[in-house]
Amino acid sequence: MKTVLRAPIGAAVPRDRAKRLLAGRGRFVDDIHLPRMVHMAFVRSPHAHARIAGIDTSAAATMPGVIRIVTAADLAAVVSPWRPTHNRFPTMAAPEQSALATDTARFQGEAVAAVVASTRAQAEDACEAIIVDWEPLEQVGDLASALAVDAPRIHKEMASNLAFESEVATGDAEVALARADVVIERTFRFHRHTGVSLETRGILADYDPSEQRLTVHQSHQTPHQQQDLYARLLGLPEHKVRVVCPDVGGAFGLKHHLYPDELAACAAAVLLGRPVKFIADRLESFLSDIHCRDHEVHARMGFANDGTIVGLAIEDRFNAGAYGQYPRSSIAEGNQITRLTGAPYRMAHYNAKLKMAFLNRGVLGHIRAVGHPIAAAVAEALIDLGARKLNCDALALRRQNYLADADFPLTSAGGVAFEKLSFMQCLDKALSLVDVDQVRREQADLRAKGIHRGIGFNTFVELTAIGPEYYGEGGQHISAQETCLLRMEASGQVRIHIGTTDQGQGIDTGIQQVVAGVLGIPLDDIEVISGDSALSPMGGGSWGSRGAALGGEVAMQAARTLRTNLLSMAGFLLQKSANDLDVIDGVVVDTVRGSRHMTVAELAKIGHFRPYTLPPDLPSDLTVTARYGSRDRMFLAGNGIQVAIVDVDIRTGFVQPVRHLVVHDCGRVLNPLLVREQIRGGVVQGIGTALYEEFRYADNGALLNASFADYLVPMAGEMPDIEVAHIETPTETSELGAKGAGEAGLAGAVGAILNAVNDALAPIGVFMTEVPLTPPRILAAIDRAQMDASKV
């Protein structure tokens, strides 16, 4: 069925076929057909590192349905390259990247050419016919190889593959460790994986050349950021670019960056003047989505004989990808690890060194709980080992060294400002819900039956709702504030226009609740409009657990202004003091006498249709805006503790989670159900990180497990009962008092499971430090422990 445009003569018809309009007055024509949507597929490098000696597209160009084939040269005049700089890290290398690779492919899956065709199948078939003359180059797959003196340089303009190095220091950790009575030293390895959203990345870009207007529908977290990037990189007026991000089927940080293939789709739309669609398949997702967690951390923690932590030193070797992610750069994960390791504990001497190197791997960037799981797992494992060495209770050792209420506010040894955290309260709550003595009795009974049960604790700090200074000073065009527009219709119903986006976390519902509670009207009378850069006021989208803390706060402020205006109008009309009035269930109520008066709908009709009956200086606007962006903090820090109970089968190496508890402090909880499910989802991702998820590569850098047949994620059978409890310590930086909650589940689950497995294997003499804790690794560790024991 053809799509037909009906347009009167003289109306703007944004297509080349507009010239086919008949010269008449006011007549309609039915033969102007909008260009059909076309599909895009990519030719991707099969090599981790290879020079592109040539690309032959001649055979592919003649295949059925093929409309256009583009290479980097074709896109050069349409789209600019970029560099992921960050002014807060001025020495960080930021090599240039393009929508399609130019002369060299630097990771397997990097796109080098694209086919636009009538169908996706036709585009894929044509991709198979494109011949690329590859000249394979030596690939670099780990930091040690990357920084070797004779290492092949991934970017020829750089003197080496070192992307960034830094040091965070408080006191003198080396002196403190030299004087410590006990020093625990281990090296931890956390392997690369990704976020695995249920809905893969997707984009539909439509360009209208007559108006220079680009409209993009995209599975993404940050519509205003993408609007800015597409406008700048494609050279378009920003007010002619619109990005629409509807409800997104999972994101987890995967979808708040610029991806070259998605930008190429936009460039193709500009070239062709017609809608271009690209949906990543699962293989493309594994190869080209943002990756995370590829770190090796060497850590030393020193104790006095009385259990006091006297110092901590870590060295994080950060295996980054071939480029930095754009526009935020890839530094955050390493930066968080060096800032947050040991953060729950009082210590005067701390040192954290970071080395980040470019490798021939996919780009590594920000996935949910950026750096948090590693920082917490490393410190908490050292605490458990310290307790064994000191022959004391690990929970007592934690309690002895926790930052206490009297310590706040403070700047941590890692340089992070903490307003007020609740480590003691969270531990007390956890112990009220888990009978540790009973678990130990069960543990002894089960071991007699050959079942090795373990219990693990993990205290964590969660950084949420990043302040505007981080990216503002960094030079990125990323909004870390929020704006909300409330519009009351004549019916008394309300539309909320806001810059946050909903990707399954339920933030739209939370904002509805806030506004309904302030205005006193039913939840069903409120609609949230978000995820549209043209309809929503400027905002940052949803990432870094900012939705409730920023979106909820600004919605509350706007609702308070609208409520004040409504009650001012009602006070004048009823000849009562506005201070004596309230709105309950959509009706104005006299709180002194208890009498019910006019409805909100009646007030709205007066405000819209009879404003002349109100004094001109009376606050009576029914469309109000508010803006919020805290300027006196870099992050809102939350905290919590997780408890994992697992069974380890020492014959097979399999780990079965049995029970999992999260006690979490995210400030004021707006919707307990939504927060609980957010945390449970994060815990499940943490189970995946701890036990299953890992990219495995061949010696030539080829990804070996790019399907769900080989890349394992937790399913229902691997999920234990996940209990969630709350401590509420509202932040004083906002009226609402909410902090973020989205990182907590993943932040603490990895370390809790690691410690539980190590507790289960302690009688055998095994201590695991490599994540994920796969059966082969566990069995190999048991074999080594048994061999060592046989030598004694």
Side-chain angles (χ1 to χ4, degrees):
M1 180 178 179
K2 294 187 293 186
T3 302
V4 177
L5 171 69
R6 292 179 55 85
I9 298 302
V13 181
R15 300 291 179 224
D16 292 340
R17 295 185 178 89
K19 62 185 180 182
R20 296 172 61 185
L21 280 167
L22 299 176
R25 296 183 179 179
R27 290 189 294 162
F28 286 85
V29 293
D30 292 324
D31 62 343
I32 303 176
H33 308 299
L34 290 170
R36 290 179 56 188
M37 179 182 73
V38 292
H39 296 259
M40 199 170 200
F42 291 90
V43 178
R44 298 181 183 272
S45 173
H47 303 283
H49 198 193
R51 195 172 77 84
I52 305 167
I55 302 177
D56 183 355
T57 64
S58 56
T62 63
M63 293 182 67
V66 173
I67 295 166
R68 181 75 182 264
I69 298 175
V70 294
T71 64
D74 299 307
L75 296 186
V78 181
V79 59
S80 300
W82 60 90
R83 292 181 183 272
T85 58
H86 198 306
N87 294 340
R88 295 184 69 89
F89 308 96
T91 61
M92 180 178 62
E96 186 176 273
Q97 189 176 7
S98 304
L100 295 173
T102 52
D103 58 351
T104 304
R106 294 179 173 87
F107 65 93
Q108 183 193 13
E110 185 171 8
V112 300
V115 176
V116 180
S118 297
T119 70
R120 172 66 181 248
Q122 290 172 331
E124 290 182 348
D125 288 345
C127 285
E128 294 291 330
I130 293 175
I131 300 173
V132 182
D133 185 4
W134 297 107
E135 295 180 359
L137 302 171
E138 185 180 352
Q139 69 96 26
V140 177
D142 61 78
L143 186 140
S145 301
L147 298 185
V149 175
D150 58 347
R153 284 177 294 151
I154 296 173
H155 299 280
K156 296 301 181 184
E157 69 273 18
M158 293 177 56
S160 74
N161 295 317
L162 181 64
F164 182 70
E165 61 181 329
S166 66
E167 183 175 4
V168 178
T170 296
D172 193 327
E174 292 302 324
V175 171
L177 290 168
R179 295 175 178 173
D181 296 314
V182 171
V183 176
I184 303 299
E185 183 172 3
R186 288 292 188 279
T187 297
F188 297 83
R189 184 69 171 94
F190 300 86
H191 287 280
R192 176 179 290 247
H193 63 95
T194 188
V196 195
S197 58
L198 181 63
E199 175 188 75
T200 61
R201 294 184 294 109
I203 188 169
L204 173 60
D206 186 11
Y207 182 68
D208 178 353
S210 70
E211 296 186 1
Q212 280 191 292
R213 188 177 300 279
L214 177 68
T215 302
V216 177
H217 293 261
Q218 187 171 9
S219 179
H220 207 274
Q221 298 170 240
T222 55
H224 288 99
Q225 170 194 291
Q226 296 304 95
Q227 173 184 285
D228 167 80
L229 292 175
Y230 294 148
R232 286 193 287 123
L233 294 175
L234 293 166
L236 301 174
E238 187 174 358
H239 68 291
K240 295 295 185 71
V241 177
R242 178 186 182 188
V243 179
V244 182
C245 302
D247 290 343
V248 174
F252 314 125
L254 283 176
K255 300 174 182 176
H256 75 318
H257 316 295
L258 178 78
Y259 282 91
D261 48 17
E262 294 172 346
L263 181 61
C266 294
V270 172
L271 280 173
L272 298 173
R274 63 194 302 178
V276 176
K277 179 180 180 180
F278 165 64
I279 305 292
D281 62 30
R282 190 59 67 178
L283 172 61
E284 288 178 300
S285 297
F286 280 126
L287 288 172
S288 62
D289 282 357
I290 293 294
H291 296 173
C292 64
R293 314 285 193 251
D294 201 350
H295 293 258
E296 182 179 294
V297 183
H298 181 73
R300 294 171 292 151
M301 182 177 283
F303 299 86
N305 281 329
D306 67 358
T308 302
I309 299 174
V310 299
L312 173 63
I314 70 165
E315 296 177 38
D316 178 22
R317 298 165 70 87
F318 182 3
N319 298 291
Y323 305 92
Q325 69 174 12
Y326 187 70
R328 297 160 194 263
S329 85
S330 294
I331 188 57
E333 194 159 84
N335 186 58
Q336 303 285 53
I337 292 168
T338 57
R339 299 282 181 179
L340 286 180
T341 303
Y345 300 102
R346 192 182 304 106
M347 64 181 73
H349 303 284
Y350 178 79
N351 185 275
K353 294 175 181 173
L354 169 68
K355 278 191 176 182
M356 169 180 158
F358 290 123
L359 313 177
N360 292 120
R361 297 287 185 269
V363 176
L364 195 146
H366 301 173
I367 300 293
R368 190 179 197 173
V370 181
H372 294 55
I374 297 173
V378 167
E380 293 294 285
L382 296 180
I383 289 283
D384 278 3
L385 284 172
R388 293 186 195 180
K389 188 72 173 179
L390 293 165
N391 195 28
C392 68
D393 179 70
L395 294 177
L397 187 62
R398 285 176 169 84
R399 192 185 295 275
Q400 175 184 345
N401 288 282
Y402 276 156
L403 293 168
D405 291 350
D407 294 319
F408 299 107
L410 63 75
T411 298
S412 72
V416 181
F418 294 156
E419 180 187 5
K420 187 176 182 182
L421 302 177
S422 54
F423 301 114
M424 301 285 190
Q425 295 91 327
C426 287
L427 177 58
D428 289 341
K429 183 70 172 179
L431 294 179
S432 74
L433 297 170
V434 176
D435 188 338
V436 178
D437 292 337
Q438 176 62 28
V439 173
R440 292 300 183 197
R441 288 191 292 270
E442 293 173 357
Q443 187 179 54
D445 293 341
L446 289 169
R447 279 178 182 162
K449 301 175 184 177
I451 300 172
H452 288 253
R453 175 161 292 182
I455 181 170
F457 293 80
N458 188 15
T459 307
F460 63 92
V461 171
E462 175 190 22
L463 300 185
T464 73
I466 192 169
E469 293 87 352
Y470 183 79
Y471 287 121
E473 291 182 14
Q476 289 82 11
H477 294 192
I478 297 170
S479 177
Q481 63 182 9
E482 277 306 324
T483 307
C484 179
L485 182 147
L486 296 187
R487 190 177 87 193
M488 178 167 279
E489 309 294 352
S491 61
Q493 295 166 325
V494 173
R495 285 193 170 102
I496 304 171
H497 298 259
I498 196 162
T500 55
T501 54
D502 199 317
Q503 56 250 11
Q505 82 278 38
I507 187 57
D508 284 359
T509 300
I511 288 171
Q512 278 180 298
Q513 282 186 277
V514 169
V515 172
V518 173
L519 292 181
I521 64 177
L523 197 67
D524 289 344
D525 285 351
I526 298 173
E527 178 188 24
V528 176
I529 298 171
S530 63
D532 188 325
S533 68
L535 298 182
S536 303
M538 180 59 119
S542 291
W543 46 272
S545 297
R546 65 190 303 276
L550 296 177
E553 176 71 17
V554 74
M556 183 189 71
Q557 292 182 6
R560 283 185 172 175
T561 300
L562 181 55
R563 180 179 183 277
T564 296
N565 294 352
L566 289 170
L567 294 181
S568 295
M569 294 166 61
F572 172 78
L573 295 168
L574 298 172
Q575 294 298 293
K576 294 175 180 284
S577 170
N579 294 331
D580 294 338
L581 301 177
D582 196 1
V583 178
I584 300 175
D585 293 331
V587 177
V588 177
V589 174
D590 186 325
T591 58
V592 177
R593 297 178 175 82
S595 54
R596 295 165 61 87
H597 296 283
M598 60 182 58
T599 65
V600 167
E602 291 172 314
L603 277 176
K605 287 183 174 62
I606 293 171
H608 282 296
F609 306 134
R610 298 171 55 199
Y612 52 85
T613 62
L614 303 171
D617 59 346
L618 186 76
S620 57
D621 289 341
L622 298 181
T623 299
V624 301
T625 60
R627 186 179 70 174
Y628 174 71
S630 178
R631 297 183 180 181
D632 53 1
R633 50 90 185 159
M634 187 72 75
F635 300 94
L636 284 178
N639 69 277
I641 189 168
Q642 296 198 26
V643 186
I645 299 174
V646 305
D647 286 343
V648 181
D649 187 332
I650 63 171
R651 298 165 301 172
T652 65
F654 280 98
V655 178
Q656 178 62 52
V658 175
R659 182 185 177 191
H660 203 101
L661 169 68
V662 182
V663 180
H664 182 224
D665 188 341
C666 62
R668 180 169 296 162
V669 178
L670 304 184
N671 185 314
L673 177 60
L674 287 177
V675 173
R676 284 197 300 271
E677 296 313 308
Q678 269 284 289
I679 291 173
R680 287 189 175 113
V683 168
V684 172
Q685 287 186 297
I687 292 171
T689 300
L691 300 179
Y692 307 112
E693 296 187 51
E694 175 186 358
F695 283 136
R696 304 185 69 86
Y697 294 89
D699 291 340
N700 65 357
L703 183 60
L704 298 175
N705 58 335
S707 77
F708 283 133
D710 304 297
Y711 182 98
L712 304 181
V713 295
M715 307 294 282
E718 289 78 49
M719 299 178 197
D721 288 336
I722 301 170
E723 305 160 57
V724 181
H726 298 289
I727 300 294
E728 294 193 37
T729 307
T731 175
E732 295 182 3
T733 64
S734 69
E735 293 183 65
L736 195 60
K739 305 175 186 177
E743 322 303 315
L746 181 50
V750 178
I753 293 170
L754 174 62
N755 287 344
V757 169
N758 282 329
D759 182 62
L761 298 177
I764 308 174
V766 170
F767 193 87
M768 303 292 297
T769 58
E770 189 171 3
V771 172
L773 301 161
T774 60
R777 289 192 179 113
I778 290 174
L779 292 176
I782 292 172
D783 287 345
R784 287 193 298 270
Q786 291 174 341
M787 289 179 62
D788 291 342
S790 67
K791 295 175 183 178
V792 178

